Amino acid sequence: MGNSDGLTLSGAGGQLRLSVEKSRHRSETGGSRRLGKMATVVALLGTLAGCAAQADNDAFSWYNDNRSAPKGNRVYVCHGFGCAYRTPVDFSRRDLNRLKAILAQGRRSPQAERKAVAKAVAWQEKRVAPLVGSADDIGGLDMQNAGKRGQMDCLDESTNTNSLLLVAENHGYLKHHKVSSPVARGFFLDGRYPHATATIREVESKKVFAIDSWPESNGKPPVVQPLTEWMASKPVSS
C-alpha cells in the first residue's frame, strides 16, 4: 500500500499508482468510502491487465541467472522450488519423434492443439522424472516440500513447460500457436498467493492461453484455459 493520499500496488508487470484525493466535504461513511472501494477495484483491474501484458514479452525473457533457457534439444529442468536445482536433460531423436507425434494430434484445429500441448507437458514430466527424481512431485501448494529435490513450485513448473514448448516451436511442431512468455498473478493484496504459468498465443485469434501444470501432480495434464480466466481465478490449494 502507498501513503494516505493514494493506493500503490506492486506486481510483476511493474507498479501501478492510483491517487485518491481527499475530500473535506465527504463523510467517512459516505461518498469517500464508496470512492475508496471504487479506487481499489480500478487498481486491481489495472494490476490484472498489467500482469496479462507480460505474455507480450519474448518467451526467452523469462530466463535469468537462476533459470536456464533450453539450448538445442537440451532443457534444464527446474526443481526444489524457485529453480533451486537445475537438471540438464537431452531429448534424443526418439524423444523428439514422440513429442512430434503427440503434437501432431492437434494439427486440425487450435483447440485440438491445446489438448495436444497438455498431453506433451504430461509426457515431459514422466520422461524427465527418473533423471530429476520428480515422479512423486505433489501438485498445488505444498510449502512443506520447499527445497526438496524433485518437488516443484509454480516457478519450476512454468519454466519447465516454457522450455518444452520452445523446443517444440523450434522444431516446427506447433501449427496454431506461438510460445509467449510465462506470466504471474496474485500479490497477496487481492487475497491470492503469487502464482505463475507458462502461456501460448493462438496465431489466428491472438488469444493467450495459460498452460498451468502446477495444480496437478507429476505426469498429469496441466490446466489449460484462457489467460483472462486464469488471471481471475483462485486455485483451491491457495
XYZ file of all heavy atoms in Angstrom, residues 123-158:
269
model
N 3.688 -35.745 -20.852
C 4.723 -36.662 -21.336
C 6.098 -36.238 -20.836
O 6.889 -37.063 -20.367
C 4.724 -36.698 -22.862
C 5.950 -37.358 -23.420
C 6.198 -38.691 -23.536
C 7.136 -36.683 -23.899
N 7.455 -38.906 -24.065
C 8.047 -37.698 -24.292
C 7.495 -35.346 -24.040
C 9.308 -37.390 -24.805
C 8.743 -35.041 -24.544
C 9.637 -36.057 -24.929
N 6.406 -34.946 -20.939
C 7.718 -34.491 -20.488
C 7.932 -34.771 -19.004
O 9.019 -35.203 -18.599
C 7.899 -32.982 -20.733
C 9.235 -32.488 -20.164
C 9.468 -31.007 -20.329
O 10.451 -30.593 -20.929
N 8.577 -30.189 -19.795
N 6.916 -34.541 -18.200
C 7.065 -34.771 -16.770
C 7.409 -36.226 -16.475
O 8.245 -36.515 -15.615
C 5.788 -34.346 -16.035
C 5.563 -32.837 -16.051
C 4.426 -32.412 -15.152
O 3.751 -33.303 -14.575
O 4.202 -31.193 -15.019
N 6.780 -37.132 -17.185
C 7.087 -38.547 -16.997
C 8.477 -38.878 -17.543
O 9.202 -39.691 -16.956
C 6.029 -39.397 -17.689
C 4.637 -39.287 -17.079
C 3.619 -40.093 -17.886
C 2.230 -39.937 -17.331
N 1.214 -40.674 -18.148
N 8.821 -38.242 -18.667
C 10.103 -38.526 -19.312
C 11.285 -38.131 -18.428
O 12.288 -38.854 -18.327
C 10.153 -37.778 -20.655
C 11.524 -37.633 -21.283
C 12.116 -38.961 -21.726
N 13.410 -38.755 -22.368
C 14.574 -38.626 -21.720
N 14.594 -38.662 -20.397
N 15.698 -38.451 -22.401
N 11.213 -36.975 -17.783
C 12.347 -36.489 -17.005
C 12.339 -36.978 -15.555
O 13.351 -36.833 -14.856
C 12.401 -34.941 -17.018
C 12.409 -34.414 -18.449
C 11.256 -34.326 -16.218
N 11.236 -37.540 -15.107
C 11.099 -37.929 -13.696
C 12.226 -38.825 -13.183
O 12.756 -38.587 -12.089
C 9.740 -38.587 -13.465
N 12.631 -39.868 -13.928
C 13.714 -40.722 -13.416
C 15.039 -39.980 -13.240
O 15.834 -40.317 -12.361
C 13.829 -41.814 -14.492
C 12.497 -41.831 -15.166
C 12.068 -40.392 -15.183
N 15.294 -38.990 -14.077
C 16.543 -38.237 -14.008
C 16.509 -37.159 -12.927
O 17.521 -36.878 -12.279
C 16.831 -37.582 -15.361
C 16.968 -38.527 -16.555
C 17.093 -37.728 -17.853
C 18.179 -39.432 -16.379
N 15.340 -36.573 -12.746
C 15.186 -35.467 -11.811
C 14.785 -35.930 -10.416
O 15.060 -35.268 -9.419
C 14.138 -34.467 -12.358
C 13.894 -33.324 -11.384
C 14.589 -33.910 -13.706
N 14.124 -37.098 -10.357
C 13.593 -37.568 -9.082
C 12.264 -36.936 -8.751
O 11.933 -36.722 -7.574
N 11.487 -36.634 -9.796
C 10.237 -35.893 -9.614
C 8.980 -36.738 -9.795
O 7.887 -36.190 -9.932
C 10.188 -34.716 -10.604
O 10.382 -35.175 -11.941
N 9.131 -38.051 -9.793
C 7.962 -38.910 -10.004
C 6.889 -38.685 -8.947
O 5.697 -38.849 -9.216
C 8.386 -40.375 -10.015
N 7.288 -38.288 -7.759
C 6.335 -38.079 -6.664
C 6.068 -36.600 -6.401
O 5.621 -36.228 -5.306
C 6.854 -38.742 -5.382
C 6.964 -40.250 -5.518
O 6.097 -40.856 -6.170
O 7.931 -40.826 -4.972
N 6.345 -35.769 -7.395
C 6.078 -34.342 -7.236
C 4.603 -34.122 -6.932
O 3.722 -34.632 -7.624
C 6.464 -33.592 -8.511
C 6.118 -32.123 -8.443
O 6.314 -31.516 -7.374
O 5.657 -31.577 -9.466
N 4.330 -33.348 -5.895
C 2.954 -33.084 -5.451
C 2.445 -31.808 -6.099
O 3.136 -30.791 -6.133
C 2.904 -32.950 -3.919
C 3.368 -34.261 -3.270
C 1.492 -32.583 -3.454
C 3.491 -34.167 -1.766
N 1.228 -31.852 -6.609
C 0.644 -30.679 -7.227
C 0.105 -29.702 -6.202
O -0.193 -30.064 -5.062
N -0.020 -28.447 -6.597
C -0.617 -27.438 -5.741
C 0.332 -26.899 -4.691
O 1.551 -27.100 -4.744
N -0.245 -26.187 -3.718
C 0.536 -25.503 -2.695
C 1.039 -26.506 -1.664
O 0.263 -27.067 -0.891
C -0.330 -24.436 -2.027
C 0.387 -23.451 -1.109
C 1.371 -22.600 -1.916
C -0.624 -22.553 -0.411
N 2.340 -26.747 -1.644
C 2.935 -27.728 -0.734
C 4.236 -27.179 -0.174
O 5.312 -27.715 -0.421
C 3.167 -29.072 -1.432
C 4.044 -28.938 -2.672
O 4.031 -27.847 -3.277
O 4.750 -29.897 -3.015
N 4.142 -26.112 0.593
C 5.318 -25.426 1.095
C 6.209 -26.313 1.951
O 7.403 -26.030 2.117
C 4.896 -24.186 1.893
C 4.229 -23.108 1.045
S 5.260 -22.557 -0.345
C 6.644 -21.835 0.527
N 5.663 -27.396 2.483
C 6.483 -28.284 3.304
C 7.567 -28.977 2.487
O 8.526 -29.509 3.047
C 5.601 -29.342 3.998
C 5.026 -30.407 3.082
C 3.732 -29.991 2.398
O 3.346 -28.819 2.486
N 3.051 -30.915 1.766
N 7.410 -28.955 1.162
C 8.393 -29.601 0.290
C 9.393 -28.622 -0.321
O 10.188 -29.010 -1.185
C 7.681 -30.355 -0.835
C 7.006 -31.620 -0.326
O 7.574 -32.348 0.480
N 5.786 -31.867 -0.788
N 9.356 -27.379 0.104
C 10.285 -26.379 -0.425
C 11.723 -26.817 -0.181
O 12.085 -27.251 0.914
C 10.035 -25.022 0.221
N 12.543 -26.722 -1.210
C 13.949 -27.079 -1.087
C 14.258 -28.541 -1.335
O 15.424 -28.926 -1.390
N 13.219 -29.352 -1.510
C 13.428 -30.779 -1.737
C 13.626 -31.063 -3.219
O 12.858 -30.592 -4.059
C 12.234 -31.590 -1.218
C 12.066 -31.551 0.294
C 10.917 -32.448 0.727
C 10.754 -32.435 2.244
N 9.610 -33.305 2.664
N 14.624 -31.822 -3.536
C 14.868 -32.209 -4.925
C 13.668 -32.987 -5.467
O 13.115 -33.838 -4.785
C 16.128 -33.067 -5.029
C 17.417 -32.286 -4.826
C 18.621 -33.194 -4.987
N 19.876 -32.459 -4.876
C 20.497 -31.853 -5.879
N 19.974 -31.907 -7.101
N 21.641 -31.212 -5.688
N 13.300 -32.676 -6.689
C 12.194 -33.388 -7.319
C 10.835 -32.775 -7.081
O 9.883 -33.087 -7.798
N 10.716 -31.895 -6.082
C 9.455 -31.205 -5.829
C 9.488 -29.853 -6.535
O 10.527 -29.198 -6.594
C 9.225 -31.024 -4.331
C 9.030 -32.328 -3.578
C 7.783 -33.071 -4.028
O 6.716 -32.488 -4.194
N 7.918 -34.387 -4.226
N 8.345 -29.435 -7.069
C 8.315 -28.232 -7.903
C 7.232 -27.254 -7.482
O 6.101 -27.662 -7.204
C 8.087 -28.618 -9.370
C 9.141 -29.566 -9.923
S 8.766 -30.066 -11.626
C 10.099 -31.247 -11.919
N 7.604 -25.981 -7.455
C 6.602 -24.934 -7.260
C 6.212 -24.382 -8.631
O 6.624 -24.902 -9.671
C 7.131 -23.833 -6.327
C 8.299 -23.039 -6.927
O 8.716 -23.365 -8.066
O 8.784 -22.110 -6.267
N 5.412 -23.322 -8.644
C 4.908 -22.815 -9.922
C 6.012 -22.215 -10.793
O 5.911 -22.234 -12.025
C 3.795 -21.796 -9.689
S 4.301 -20.302 -8.796
N 7.069 -21.686 -10.190
C 8.171 -21.159 -10.990
C 8.909 -22.281 -11.706
O 9.279 -22.154 -12.876
C 9.133 -20.374 -10.102
C 8.588 -19.062 -9.521
C 9.626 -18.421 -8.603
C 8.198 -18.100 -10.632
N 9.114 -23.380 -10.995
C 9.732 -24.550 -11.623
C 8.864 -25.048 -12.776
O 9.345 -25.290 -13.885
C 9.903 -25.689 -10.603
C 10.834 -25.329 -9.465
O 11.811 -24.599 -9.702
O 10.583 -25.786 -8.337
N 7.581 -25.223 -12.488
C 6.651 -25.773 -13.475
C 6.542 -24.866 -14.704
O 6.554 -25.339 -15.850
C 5.264 -25.955 -12.851
C 5.205 -26.922 -11.674
C 5.086 -28.370 -12.119
O 5.152 -28.653 -13.331
O 4.914 -29.234 -11.241
N 6.435 -23.571 -14.477
C 6.313 -22.626 -15.586
C 7.548 -22.662 -16.471
O 7.455 -22.642 -17.706
C 6.114 -21.204 -15.055
O 4.942 -21.115 -14.274
